[in-house]
């Protein structure tokens, strides 16, 4: 098998790439702020105190509370009592992040090792223990503090300490922290670093790294069963048949989709009244061809009757048209491929030889590179061709070599989630495994299990 940065990674079972996660406490597990209207010290002063060498020594357990308050008060020309009062007031506002803790609970149930690693003094650690329930603290296999290790992040020594004591494999460990400098050190050990800057984004990243993407996708599909609406660029939602057939093609599950049929074997793009086009919208060969290749309730005799009718809609060059409407002459190579796919599926591909000749020219000369009239982007056209190659050994022998070249040209180019998905699928037809785009696609999965743009 040829490889183009290719892999079929599963995040389930023994092949799961990660088995341990290290979380920072302040700013990740617990939310807080350096400012409060009641605070005696301005936020900028207190922030400088927290970044001072004296405070770092306090976090490493080398100074006690009174010592550090006195030293930083002298350094920043404030009263020790003001430092102490500010710490007390701000600690009152500390809250556990329930959304993150819920994800940690799920990860723990999945078998992940969960650790905390925090720059924190002994007194602050004792205070922090009261800010979460015993059940929440029990989610952590161990909490490593700078005070107990006598070292702090981003120092390499603290990371070596955690790795040695926990026995984790850094290459199979995820590290989550709100400070970039700490994440950089974690990455230097081979960990997968995540900078915590937004709850939803980080939860999405964790799910994409740790959860089963297929199971999440299937759950999303089941939650939207028979209610998959298309959305226009100006956010108008509507039901149409074509996307229903693509979902059926991808899943093989008729219980998920809801489509309509105008008359036996004929399908319209729209369900009911047309939208953003002419009031009367003709049935089209594209939707009909895709529909007849995937639905199970239309008998073969009816399919052949429809194919006979399709043959009446060729132009003077013998190329198949888009609509069952002579007053609306249109041609599109993507539509041609779908019609060819139907004809070859039922042993009638030879009846559209001129159409196949043109598709071959489109493929050879990259005419599809900017997309076609009805299909956005090159990868969508190549995906349709891949379906045809799977359906016909004859076409595969004829177009397979040039098709493989064209797919290889696309690997690694920018695209949305649908573009990457169809590219990956097209590549498999000619024994290419597109690992680069597969990894990108995994990272695009949304928190609810869907894939957006």
């Amino acid at each position: 098998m040829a490889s183009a940065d290719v892999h079929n990674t599963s995040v389930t079972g023994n092949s799961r790439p990660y088995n341990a996660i290290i979380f920072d406490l302040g700013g990740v597990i617990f939310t807080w702020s350096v400012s409060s209207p009641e605070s005696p010290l301005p936020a900028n002063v207190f922030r400088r105190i927290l970044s001072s060498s004296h405070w770092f020594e306090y976090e490493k357990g080398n100074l006690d509370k009174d010592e550090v308050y006195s030293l930083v008060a002298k350094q920043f020309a404030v009263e020790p009592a003001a430092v102490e009062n500010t710490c007390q007031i701000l600690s009152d506002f500390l809250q556990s992040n329930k959304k993150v803790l819920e994800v940690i609970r799920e990860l723990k149930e999945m078998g992940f090792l969960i650790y905390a690693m925090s720059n924190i003094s002994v007194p602050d650690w004792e205070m922090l223990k009261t800010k979460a329930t015993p059940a929440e603290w029990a989610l952590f296999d161990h909490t490593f503090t700078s005070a107990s290790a006598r070292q702090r992040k981003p120092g390499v020594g603290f990371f070596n300490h955690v790795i040695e004591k926990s026995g984790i494999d850094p290459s199979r460990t995820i590290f989550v922290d709100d400070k970039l400098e700490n994440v950089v050190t974690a990455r230097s050990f081979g960990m997968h670093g995540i900078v915590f800057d937004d709850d939803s984004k980080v939860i999405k990243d964790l799910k994409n790294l740790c959860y089963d993407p297929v199971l999440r996708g299937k759950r999303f599909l089941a939650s939207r069963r028979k209610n998959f609406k298309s959305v226009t660029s100006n956010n108008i939602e509507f039901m149409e048949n074509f996307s229903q057939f693509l979902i059926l093609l991808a899943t093989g599950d008729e219980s998920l989709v809801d489509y309509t049929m105008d008359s036996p074997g004929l399908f319209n793009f729209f369900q009911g009244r047309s939208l953003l086009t002419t009031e009367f919208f003709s049935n089209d060969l594209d939707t009909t061809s895709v529909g007849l290749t995937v639905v199970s309730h239309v008998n073969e005799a009816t399919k052949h009757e429809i194919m006979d009718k399709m043959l009446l809609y060729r132009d003077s060059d013998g190329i198949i048209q888009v609509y069952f409407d002579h007053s609306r002459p249109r041609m599109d190579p993507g539509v041609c491929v779908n019609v060819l796919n139907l004809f070859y599926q039922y042993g009638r591909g030879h009846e559209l030889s001129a159409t196949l000749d043109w598709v071959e020219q489109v493929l050879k000369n990259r005419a599809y590179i900017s997309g076609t009239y009805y299909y956005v982007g090159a990868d969508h056209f190549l995906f349709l061709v891949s379906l045809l190659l799977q359906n016909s050994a004859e076409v595969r022998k004829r177009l397979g070599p040039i098709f493989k070249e064209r797919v290889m040209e696309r690997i690694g180019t920018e695209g949305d989630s649908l573009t990457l998905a169809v590219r990956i699928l097209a590549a498999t037809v000619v024994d290419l495994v597109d690992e680069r785009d597969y990894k990108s696609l995994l990272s695009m999965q949304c928190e609810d299990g869907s894939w957006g743009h």
Side-chain angles (χ1 to χ4, degrees):
M1 175 180 291
S3 175
D5 291 332
V6 174
H7 189 45
N8 184 22
T9 301
S10 169
V11 294
T12 60
N14 294 329
S15 62
R16 186 169 64 195
Y18 304 104
N19 63 4
I21 310 174
I22 300 173
F23 290 92
D24 181 28
L25 291 178
V28 177
I29 305 300
F30 296 92
T31 59
W32 72 296
S33 173
V34 296
S35 64
S36 167
E38 304 170 21
S39 172
L41 296 179
N44 65 321
V45 174
F46 191 64
R47 190 177 289 110
R48 289 165 60 202
I49 288 173
L50 296 183
S51 299
S52 69
S53 59
H54 296 312
W55 200 268
F56 287 176
E57 291 302 307
Y58 176 52
E59 290 178 333
K60 289 192 288 186
N62 296 328
L63 296 174
D64 64 27
K65 187 192 302 186
D66 291 337
E67 287 175 319
V68 76
Y69 288 169
S70 176
L71 287 168
V72 298
K74 182 178 180 180
Q75 180 180 355
F76 293 97
V78 297
E79 292 298 321
V83 179
E84 183 174 11
N85 290 340
T86 298
C87 290
Q88 181 59 53
I89 289 169
L90 296 181
S91 70
D92 291 340
F93 289 96
L94 269 170
Q95 297 181 30
S96 61
N97 191 325
K98 299 301 182 183
K99 288 178 64 178
V100 173
L101 284 169
E102 176 59 24
V103 173
I104 291 175
R105 182 190 63 75
E106 294 176 1
L107 292 165
K108 186 72 174 178
E109 291 176 352
M110 291 166 61
F112 282 86
L113 297 169
I114 305 294
Y115 299 100
M117 181 181 181
S118 179
N119 291 335
I120 191 169
S121 66
V122 172
D124 288 338
W125 172 227
E126 293 303 316
M127 175 274 298
L128 195 63
K129 289 178 182 178
T130 67
K131 298 295 183 176
T133 67
E136 289 170 337
W137 284 119
L139 295 172
F140 296 88
D141 291 278
H142 190 77
T143 297
F144 295 93
T145 68
S146 57
S148 63
R150 301 283 177 166
Q151 302 178 84
R152 67 187 302 283
K153 297 175 290 184
V156 169
F158 195 6
F159 283 86
N160 277 322
H161 172 81
V162 171
I163 292 168
E164 179 184 348
K165 294 298 183 182
S166 65
I168 59 172
D169 177 353
S171 68
R172 300 192 67 197
T173 301
I174 299 168
F175 180 83
V176 184
D177 198 294
D178 64 329
K179 300 288 193 302
L180 175 60
E181 60 266 33
N182 299 338
V183 173
V184 169
T185 303
R187 289 171 177 164
S188 75
F189 280 87
M191 298 180 189
H192 183 97
I194 298 176
V195 178
F196 191 99
D197 50 9
D198 175 79
D199 282 2
S200 297
K201 177 182 176 296
V202 172
I203 289 171
K204 171 181 174 290
D205 289 345
L206 285 170
K207 288 187 174 183
N208 289 345
L209 289 167
C210 302
Y211 290 32
D212 185 335
V214 175
L215 180 60
R216 292 172 64 204
K218 286 183 175 179
R219 285 175 176 168
F220 174 80
L221 290 174
S223 72
R224 300 291 184 93
R225 191 181 305 274
K226 295 188 181 298
N227 191 36
F228 295 101
K229 294 181 179 180
S230 295
V231 184
T232 66
S233 58
N234 56 345
N235 293 317
I236 298 175
E237 294 186 351
F238 66 104
M239 292 292 289
E240 44 88 2
N241 285 319
F242 192 80
S243 64
Q244 305 297 309
F245 295 144
L246 292 183
I247 293 169
L248 182 54
L249 173 67
T251 65
D253 186 352
E254 292 206 27
S255 72
L256 291 174
V257 298
D258 185 21
Y259 56 85
T260 60
M261 186 164 59
D262 278 10
S263 58
L266 285 175
F267 296 100
N268 196 289
F269 176 83
F270 293 102
Q271 294 186 16
R273 189 171 61 87
S274 61
L275 184 71
L276 303 177
T277 185
T278 56
E279 185 174 349
F280 174 76
F281 195 81
S282 306
N283 294 329
D284 62 280
L285 283 74
D286 197 31
T287 306
T288 297
S289 293
V290 176
L292 293 180
T293 60
V294 295
V295 301
S296 60
H297 68 276
V298 178
N299 62 54
E300 189 166 334
T302 300
K303 291 180 180 181
H304 280 288
E305 290 177 10
I306 298 300
M307 283 187 277
D308 290 340
K309 185 174 183 179
M310 287 179 173
L311 291 174
L312 302 176
Y313 292 88
R314 288 177 288 181
D315 66 11
S316 58
D317 298 310
I319 297 174
I320 206 75
Q321 299 293 284
V322 174
Y323 296 100
F324 290 101
D325 184 349
H326 290 297
S327 70
R328 196 170 191 158
R330 304 283 191 279
M331 58 185 281
D332 183 282
V335 176
C336 289
V337 174
N338 287 333
V339 177
L340 283 165
N341 194 30
L342 173 65
F343 272 70
Y344 273 99
Q345 183 171 314
Y346 289 96
R348 298 180 59 175
H350 61 280
E351 297 178 58
L352 290 174
S353 59
T355 297
L356 181 61
D357 289 343
W358 187 54
V359 166
E360 183 176 24
Q361 290 303 113
V362 169
L363 185 63
K364 283 184 175 181
N365 296 303
R366 302 180 184 84
Y368 57 83
I369 199 66
S370 300
T372 68
Y373 189 84
Y374 293 102
Y375 287 93
V376 178
D379 297 282
H380 299 264
F381 172 77
L382 292 174
F383 170 69
L384 300 179
V385 175
S386 77
L387 299 177
L388 177 58
L389 266 58
Q390 291 178 82
N391 224 355
S392 169
E394 174 191 340
V395 176
R396 186 186 184 96
K397 182 178 180 180
R398 176 176 171 178
L399 301 185
I402 189 64
F403 173 79
K404 186 172 185 176
E405 290 182 20
R406 296 295 175 260
V407 170
M408 292 182 69
E409 293 169 355
R410 299 297 304 164
I411 289 174
T413 58
E414 188 177 349
D416 60 22
S417 56
L418 181 59
T419 296
L420 298 188
V422 296
R423 180 187 302 161
I424 292 164
L425 290 172
T428 63
V429 173
V430 283
D431 297 327
L432 293 171
V433 188
D434 182 4
E435 182 174 342
R436 187 187 311 175
D437 291 316
Y438 176 76
K439 288 180 179 178
S440 297
L441 183 61
L442 286 180
S443 72
M444 294 179 179
Q445 192 168 19
C446 300
E447 190 176 340
D448 63 4
S450 66
W451 271 272
H453 292 288

